[in-house]
Amino acid sequence: MYELVEKKSIGSGVTQYEIRAQRIARSRKCGQFVIVRALEHSERIPLTIADVDIERGTITLIVQAVGKSTLEMTRLEKGQGFADVAGPLGQPSHIEKYGTVVVIGGGLGTAVVYPQAVALRNAGNKIISIIGARTKELLILEELAASVSDRLILTTDDGSAGMKGLVTDALKMLLEEDETNVDAVYCAGPVIMMKHVSEVTKPLNIRTIVSLNPVMVDGTGMCGGCRVTVGGKRKFACVDGPEFDGHEVDFDELMDRLTTYRDHEQKTLKRYKDHECKLRQQ
Amino acid sequence: MSREEDSVERSEKPSAKERMAIPRVEMPQREGRERNKDFEEVNLGLGEQAAIREAQRCLQCKTARCVEGCPVGIDIPGFIKLIAEGDFLGAAAILRKDNNLPAVTGRVCPQETQCEVKCVRCKTDAPVAIGWLARFVSDYEVEHRSGRPKASAAKTGKKVACIGSGPAGITCAGELAKMGVDVTLFEAFHKPGGVLVYGIPEFRMPNRVVADEIENLESLGVKIETNVIVGRTLTLEQLTGEEGFDAVYIAVGAGLPSFMNVPGENFKGVYSANEYLTRSNLMEAYDARADTPIIRGKRVCVIGGGNTAMDAVRTSKRLGAEESMIVYRRAREQMPARAEEVAHAEEEDIKFEFLTAPVEVLGDEKGWVKGLRCIRMRLGELDESGRRRPVPIEGSEFEIECDLVVVAIGTRANPLLTKATAGLKLNKWGYIEVDDNMMTSIAGVFAGGDIVRGSATVILAMGDGKCAAASIDRYLVGRQNG
């Protein structure tokens, strides 16, 4: 069991968990993830390690409750534990000194790019962060992002916070500014967002690194469920990634593959909610 | 004691002539069309009377050639003799001396090419059913034992890490623990057992059998740590450094699944056999109430001709497929799968398309698999494997309608640990090179099983684990004295 040391809500349906996992905390490098099972019967789900505290021997995970597994996770309380946490998995982020780096996080993707922003800044880069979400309540980690950014732009689809529009609108705005010279873009969030960001930067030949989130089982290269097409070649996101050159990724294929279990997920979620309802009525 | 057992004990030792007159026992098994709807075991196991009678067929050869055929060198005539005498727990103890997983090997060993093929009775009628007898005594032991095995040797004070809890790792860990070594077994998954739990399906290898053997291992004093991915969670250097292990055994098993490299392989509804079986077995998606999803095809094509392909295709039938078929590019005679598995598949209404190779996976407008475009093959010249090479017949392309494709054409070495370990010598395929003592290029680091051999069998992996344990023991003693 992996003890849940701290738990707090950081946005609408978004929870931050601090879990004791000493070895993982020590080995983890920026960009890596863990595979988690909240309970004994749960699915194995991949989650990016948002932060670690080596002294406390803990790792931080940020999870949006969207399905049964993630909802069950939110029912766990401080002092209880996660059944299984395995990692750190995946290749560490590629960090180098580019000059100016735009770091783009959409929705939960902010939890993925924030540690990258920290590492990139430590490597001597100027950081411009663009944090976007559908609406104000779903914006997460703005303050942390602000603390590592030379400039922070918030966007919401509905204009409830920051500029109204998509992260790509903010990116285009930046690229049109004469004084801003963008040397690289790091981006994580919904696949459609990463696709559009990559489409914006490709003609300008700005190096763009995206962090992919395909379906995974083991996370160690064994199942091949997370295969993605990058530069026309098959790559396993769990061991070759999760970060890839955004200009080479077949996003449409990834988006399609991510719908594989949609029916099952909806059914499982409904069954879970009905069950909870009944329990409450009793 | 029941009257029946009483009479067995008093039965006279049969003469050689009487022994020769006993025909080989038949394994009671569930009827194909009944069993292909659930995940209960196919073979039911022998009863006590049947086992005794079968054991009496053994001629107790002075030079037991069957033992030569066994990769772990079990005293086969020894345990069979005790079965014939009705001392089943005694027989189990003999088995266990050389084999840490008797209930496992009794189920999945290819006895027909190992011990049984060497049986002297092959010349006259049929070999003694060594595998079924091994399974019988180990199942009997589970029901009737008074306790679990304990390590009796004095503690050596040495610590060894076994990486990977499949058959090689379990065997090595068990052997070392019996020698008094302090062993920790690391597993990357959340449950120990390796291929025995993620790969081999419930109807061939029930998870309870593996769980029981794991408990035996713990009873021997082996510590088991799940969720540890050596190369990521801990490095090999950390194991031998700060974690204080005196030697390490790497048995991380088969690795990355191979795909066919034909168009359409990323449509939804194409699985590697690893993924399909892991979802069904380890994640228990065969149970419709499980959280982990699995695609239940109506018409399923499994590509490949090995035991894994048979496991996958038989699983698909049990998950409700109306039609499940094997698509294999060579002919029936060249299938690497065990004859028993192929026969079982046929009894379960599995179809076979031999001399057929997929050239494209076809998908519908929503990205789901809808079929397989294949080409017929003929057998040409011998290839490097000594089998006749399949050659495509021009213009023979045709389509098979299906909604699920499982690719079971083998695996490649998983580089996760090997790449993270400096100085570990690999061969050109990425498998670990070992010397005659199964030691790698790093002193004190040993390896075995599929990460050394490529894809092999449970029993060969166990043989490796056993050899490695002996080598590790010699290494530790040598270092102490040196």
Side-chain angles (χ1 to χ4, degrees):
Chain A
M1 204 196 59
Y2 296 77
E3 188 199 346
L4 179 52
V5 179
E6 289 290 346
K7 174 191 172 188
K8 65 177 178 194
S9 172
I10 61 163
S12 173
V14 182
T15 311
Q16 178 173 313
Y17 301 89
E18 191 180 345
I19 300 161
R20 197 172 308 287
Q22 195 131 22
R23 285 174 177 156
I24 301 175
R26 283 178 56 196
S27 319
R28 174 264 189 181
K29 294 191 182 69
C30 168
Q32 291 185 303
F33 63 94
V34 283
I35 296 255
V36 171
R37 289 203 318 155
L39 304 170
E40 279 298 330
H41 63 258
S42 302
E43 282 184 84
R44 293 169 64 92
I45 51 173
L47 296 168
T48 301
I49 306 171
D51 206 352
V52 296
D53 185 330
I54 294 176
E55 272 174 31
R56 278 158 70 95
T58 60
I59 62 171
T60 300
L61 304 177
I62 294 174
V63 186
Q64 186 168 17
V66 287
K68 184 192 173 193
S69 304
T70 44
L71 269 174
E72 277 185 328
M73 217 175 263
T74 62
R75 304 278 183 272
L76 292 174
E77 294 303 333
K78 199 172 147 177
Q80 292 182 297
F82 283 56
D84 300 287
V85 181
L89 296 162
Q91 298 297 328
S93 296
H94 177 80
I95 302 294
E96 64 172 75
K97 188 174 176 187
Y98 298 96
T100 300
V101 183
V102 176
V103 173
I104 305 176
L108 215 64
T110 309
V112 179
V113 291
Y114 161 68
Q116 294 175 333
V118 175
L120 286 163
R121 187 187 170 94
N122 290 341
N125 291 288
K126 183 181 167 194
I127 306 294
I128 303 177
S129 293
I130 304 175
I131 305 290
R134 278 204 317 276
T135 185
K136 191 179 173 202
E137 284 70 40
L138 292 170
L139 276 176
I140 57 167
L141 305 178
E142 314 96 275
E143 283 168 28
L144 280 176
S147 70
V148 295
S149 307
D150 296 275
R151 187 171 164 194
L152 170 67
I153 303 169
L154 301 178
T155 71
T156 49
D157 296 7
D158 61 3
S160 55
M163 73 179 258
K164 182 175 192 303
L166 305 171
V167 293
T168 40
D169 298 324
L171 176 64
K172 281 183 205 157
M173 182 190 83
L174 275 178
L175 294 170
E176 281 161 16
E177 292 173 0
D178 291 336
E179 66 273 24
T180 309
N181 191 18
V182 177
D183 299 299
V185 171
Y186 278 65
C187 169
V191 182
I192 186 77
M193 183 202 98
M194 294 191 283
K195 178 187 175 183
H196 286 145
V197 165
S198 300
E199 281 171 358
V200 169
T201 58
K202 191 170 183 179
L204 300 168
N205 210 15
I206 299 171
R207 178 157 190 189
T208 300
I209 304 214
V210 294
S211 184
L212 305 184
N213 56 340
V215 173
M216 269 179 208
V217 183
D218 61 290
T220 62
M222 250 187 54
C223 83
C226 67
R227 60 194 187 274
V228 287
T229 305
V230 182
K233 293 202 172 78
R234 178 174 46 247
K235 297 282 179 189
F236 291 173
C238 68
V239 286
D240 300 320
E243 287 164 25
F244 294 99
D245 179 347
H247 299 157
E248 300 280 334
V249 172
D250 185 340
F251 289 107
D252 292 336
E253 181 184 271
L254 173 59
M255 260 185 281
D256 192 45
R257 284 182 63 79
L258 280 169
T259 65
T260 305
Y261 301 108
R262 203 159 46 191
D263 285 353
H264 178 272
E265 282 157 9
Q266 281 164 358
K267 264 185 229 154
T268 314
L269 182 61
K270 184 172 181 306
R271 206 160 51 204
Y272 178 64
K273 283 186 169 164
D274 290 350
H275 178 68
E276 288 239 309
C277 241
K278 271 186 213 133
L279 285 182
R280 247 176 270 134
Q281 280 162 7
Q282 277 167 9
Chain B
M1 189 180 280
S2 76
R3 193 171 294 271
E4 185 192 64
E5 280 168 1
D6 198 15
S7 70
V8 169
E9 288 220 340
R10 278 201 241 124
S11 74
E12 297 270 313
K13 232 173 146 183
S15 68
K17 200 176 164 194
E18 282 165 335
R19 288 174 190 276
M20 287 306 292
I22 308 172
R24 178 176 160 119
V25 70
E26 287 192 20
M27 173 58 90
Q29 60 179 53
R30 298 169 63 216
E31 202 270 316
R33 286 181 181 163
E34 172 206 318
R35 70 182 189 239
N36 70 8
K37 292 172 185 64
D38 63 46
F39 281 80
E40 299 297 315
E41 261 192 293
V42 171
N43 287 343
L44 296 169
L46 302 181
E48 293 180 19
Q49 290 305 314
I52 290 173
R53 202 167 155 76
E54 182 62 21
Q56 287 172 341
R57 293 183 67 231
C58 174
L59 303 180
Q60 295 290 319
C61 306
K62 285 260 161 21
T63 315
R65 294 200 53 221
C66 50
V67 181
E68 295 163 20
C70 176
V72 295
I74 293 169
D75 175 7
I76 294 169
F79 92 82
I80 291 183
K81 181 164 183 280
L82 290 189
I83 296 177
E85 291 168 6
D87 180 5
F88 305 135
L89 287 176
I94 293 184
L95 252 185
R96 233 169 235 297
K97 253 196 343 212
D98 296 299
N99 180 342
N100 283 293
L101 296 167
V104 170
T105 51
R107 285 173 167 81
V108 300
C109 252
Q111 288 94 5
E112 66 279 6
T113 61
Q114 294 178 164
C115 51
E116 291 183 17
V117 74
K118 306 247 177 162
C119 178
V120 65
R121 290 201 63 162
C122 286
K123 290 182 193 139
T124 49
D125 54 343
V128 175
I130 301 167
W132 297 343
L133 289 174
R135 173 180 161 173
F136 165 75
V137 285
S138 43
D139 286 352
Y140 182 92
E141 186 195 24
V142 171
E143 295 287 320
H144 297 88
R145 69 187 158 205
S146 49
R148 291 185 180 274
K150 295 273 176 221
S152 49
K155 295 267 176 269
T156 63
K158 296 292 177 190
K159 268 178 77 180
V160 174
C162 292
I163 308 170
S165 66
I170 290 176
T171 303
C172 185
E175 291 293 318
L176 287 169
K178 287 186 212 162
M179 297 174 195
V181 175
D182 179 0
V183 186
T184 304
L185 185 58
F186 292 102
E187 166 58 42
F189 270 130
H190 54 267
K191 197 193 245 180
V195 71
L196 305 174
V197 296
Y198 78 72
I200 303 177
E202 196 68 10
F203 54 85
R204 264 204 322 130
M205 172 60 58
N207 280 349
R208 64 176 157 75
V209 172
V210 185
D212 189 75
E213 294 292 8
I214 296 288
E215 266 188 63
N216 283 335
L217 212 54
E218 289 178 306
S219 170
L220 286 171
V222 173
K223 286 174 264 194
I224 298 174
E225 287 204 43
T226 53
N227 296 320
V228 177
I229 303 128
V230 177
R232 291 274 195 269
T233 316
L234 288 171
T235 60
L236 204 96
E237 288 80 16
Q238 279 176 299
L239 288 179
T240 49
E242 62 199 66
E243 299 270 338
F245 288 102
D246 299 292
V248 175
Y249 182 54
I250 304 172
V252 294
L256 309 177
S258 293
F259 286 90
M260 300 179 285
N261 293 320
V262 300
E265 228 170 350
N266 290 347
F267 280 127
K268 291 171 288 186
V270 182
Y271 278 131
S272 72
N274 268 4
E275 179 174 7
Y276 186 61
L277 293 171
T278 300
R279 283 180 181 275
S280 178
N281 303 334
L282 177 76
M283 305 311 295
E284 297 175 0
Y286 69 83
D287 182 341
R289 294 163 302 176
D291 282 357
T292 301
I294 192 164
I295 302 167
R296 291 165 183 257
K298 284 211 163 55
R299 289 177 58 86
V300 182
C301 285
V302 175
I303 320 301
N307 286 323
T308 307
M310 296 306 133
D311 285 347
V313 79
R314 295 170 68 197
T315 294
S316 73
K317 195 79 187 173
R318 285 162 169 80
L319 288 174
E322 286 157 17
E323 184 158 278
S324 296
M325 73 174 79
I326 286 286
V327 176
Y328 182 52
R329 64 194 182 119
R330 299 177 193 257
R332 171 188 292 268
E333 303 70 46
Q334 296 161 319
M335 286 175 107
R338 285 185 70 192
E340 186 185 14
E341 302 307 325
V342 180
H344 280 166
E346 285 181 316
E347 290 161 15
E348 291 167 12
D349 279 344
I350 305 299
K351 306 279 183 292
F352 291 80
E353 284 283 355
F354 293 110
L355 291 165
T356 303
V359 291
E360 184 180 0
V361 182
L362 307 168
D364 66 16
E365 67 287 351
K366 287 187 174 146
W368 286 93
V369 168
K370 67 169 187 179
L372 208 53
R373 193 195 309 281
C374 298
I375 190 162
R376 295 287 186 200
M377 314 292 272
R378 61 179 174 77
L379 293 178
E381 301 299 306
L382 294 184
D383 66 10
E384 64 275 13
S385 73
R387 297 179 293 180
R388 290 178 65 191
R389 185 192 303 277
V391 184
I393 301 171
E394 219 173 297
S396 67
E397 293 190 14
F398 69 105
E399 287 176 14
I400 303 173
E401 190 192 317
C402 63
D403 57 2
L404 181 65
V405 171
V406 180
V407 183
I409 56 173
T411 55
R412 294 169 291 131
N414 188 331
L416 204 146
L417 180 146
T418 53
K419 267 195 180 166
T421 308
L424 191 63
K425 199 168 170 218
L426 309 177
N427 69 16
K428 62 176 173 175
W429 297 284
Y431 294 104
I432 299 173
E433 288 205 344
V434 292
D435 64 16
D436 293 343
N437 294 315
M438 315 206 82
M439 188 148 88
T440 68
S441 54
I442 303 174
V445 176
F446 298 75
D450 278 4
I451 193 60
V452 169
R453 294 174 173 273
S455 302
T457 58
V458 168
I459 189 70
L460 287 173
M462 290 173 59
D464 285 356
K466 195 171 170 180
C467 284
S471 291
I472 290 169
D473 180 52
R474 282 195 302 275
Y475 169 82
L476 294 174
V477 170
R479 233 173 37 143
Q480 199 156 18
N481 300 339

